[in-house]
Amino acid sequence: MKVLLADPSEQREDIENFLKENRVEVKSVHVGQEAQLAIYRDKFQAVIIHYDLEKHSALDVLRYIRSTKPSTRVILLFSGQDQLDDLGLSQTELKNLGASDILCHPILPKKVLESIEGSNQFAAWKKVLKGGEVKEEEVVDASDEEFTRIKIDDLYGGNTNIFDHYIRLGRNRFIKILHRGDLFDKDRIDFYRNEKRVKYLYFKTSDRGTYINYMNQLMTKIIDKKKGRGKTRLTIGQNVIEKFVDEIYTSGLKPQLLEEGTQICENMLGMIDKTPRLSSLFNEYQDLVDDGPTHIFLVSLLSTVICKSLNWKSLRTIEKVAFGSFLHDLGKLKFPPEMVSKRYQDLDEHQKKIYEKHPEYGLEMVKNIAGVDDSVKQIILQHHEYVNGEGYPHGIAGMKIFPLAKVVSLANEFTHLMMAKKQPPNVVMVEFLKNKEQLERFDPSFIKALVSSFTGKAHGIQ
C-alpha cells in the first residue's frame, strides 16, 4: 500500500518507521500545501493527517480530499482528547467531512497500521493461504439473513477456494461444500449442479465486499488480457454490479465502496470497448428478468453505451453516469413493504404518488454523504424527468434537465421495454423508434447515440 503521512508532530518519525517496517510505502510531508500537492499528483490508499498541520490546515486538506479523491481513506490524528473537544466538532461531523477514522494521543503506530489496513479489507481474499486439502462437507445452522446467493453457473475461481461456499438445505440450514483456502473441487460442484440440480450457491454476506473486490479484479484481468467471450464479461459485470448495489443498499456508501464503484465503471467501459458488436452481446444475454438488480445492471450498461457515443464525453463523465445509474433507484428503499414487489402500473393512485417521490427520497439519502458528486445527485433526482415536461417529480423540461440525467432517463426507459418484451435492444429498437409519443420524452442526440451504438446508424433521427 501507498500512504501519505502529513504530520509535523514529534511522533511522525515513529509512525513512519513502523509503517515502513510493515511493508507500507510512505510519503511524508510536514505542511498542508505539500500534502495537497502530493494528493493531486499521486494516488494513495490512505492519508494520515495530524490536526497540528499548518499552511493549509488539517480540515482544509480533509475538504480537498473529499472534493477531489473521495474514495481515499483519511485518518485524523489529534494530540489528545482535549484538542478534539476544543475543535467543537463531533466525530460524526468529522466523518461527514470525509474522515474515515480518528485517533487521539497516545497514538500507537500499530493502531495507525490497523486503521490503514481497514482501507484494504475488501482485498482480504489475496491473503488466503493456498493449497489446503479438500475438507469434508459440513452442515451449518445459521440464519438465512446471514447469506448472499449467486448462481452456481456463475462461480468463478482458480485452484483455491477464495470463500466458504454453501448450499441451502432449508430454512436457516446450510451445508458448507467449499472451504476457504482448500483446493477447488470441481467434481463436487459438478455433482451438485448436474446430479442434484442445485441452481444457487451461498456465501456469508459479511464477505460481500471481498467478493466485489475479487470479481472486480477478475473482470479487469479478463478485459486486459482479452480473455473470455463477451457473454462471460457480461455475466461477471452483472454479478459484481448487483452485489455492489446490494452492499450499498444494506451497508451504506463507505469510502471503499466508492473506490470499488470507480473500478466497476472503468471495467464497464473496458467491456464495451472490447466488444465489437454490442447487438450480438445482448443477443446472448438471456437474464431479462424484471427485478431490481438486473434492472440496475442494464440501466448502468446502457447509460455507459450512450455516453461512450457522445462527442463531449470523458472518462470522468462516464464514471458519473454509471455511478448515478447504480444509485438511481435508491429512494425505493423508502417504500412501504406492500409496494416493494409491485410494478408501477399495478399501484393505486395513492401508491403512485409515493412512487413518484422516490427520486427525492434517493437525493435525501445521499445529500450528506462525502464522495457523492453533485452530478450523481442530479441523476438520482431527475432520472424520471422528460424533455417534454411530462416526467416527475418536478415536471421540468428541456434544458432545465441535467444532461447526464437525460442519459439515465433514456437508459431507464429502454431497459423497462427490454424487460417487458424480453428481447435484446436491436429488436426493441424498431418498435421504440416507431412510437413518436415515446420519442418526444428524450433528447434526440441521446437517442441517436443509443441507436448508433447497436446499429452503427442513426436512422435519420432529427
Side-chain angles (χ1 to χ4, degrees), residues 167-181:
I167 288 172
R168 188 173 182 269
L169 300 176
R171 181 175 173 81
N172 298 329
R173 194 165 176 79
F174 297 80
I175 181 169
K176 187 192 293 187
I177 65 167
L178 298 179
H179 292 71
R180 187 194 311 263

Side-chain angles (χ1 to χ4, degrees), residues 319-348:
E319 287 177 358
K320 289 177 182 179
V321 165
F323 205 84
S325 302
F326 298 155
L327 302 179
H328 77 277
D329 275 342
L330 187 65
K332 290 183 178 180
L333 290 176
K334 296 282 189 179
F335 285 174
E338 63 271 15
M339 284 181 57
V340 172
S341 59
K342 288 185 177 181
R343 297 178 302 172
Y344 179 79
Q345 55 267 37
D346 297 329
L347 302 175
D348 60 36

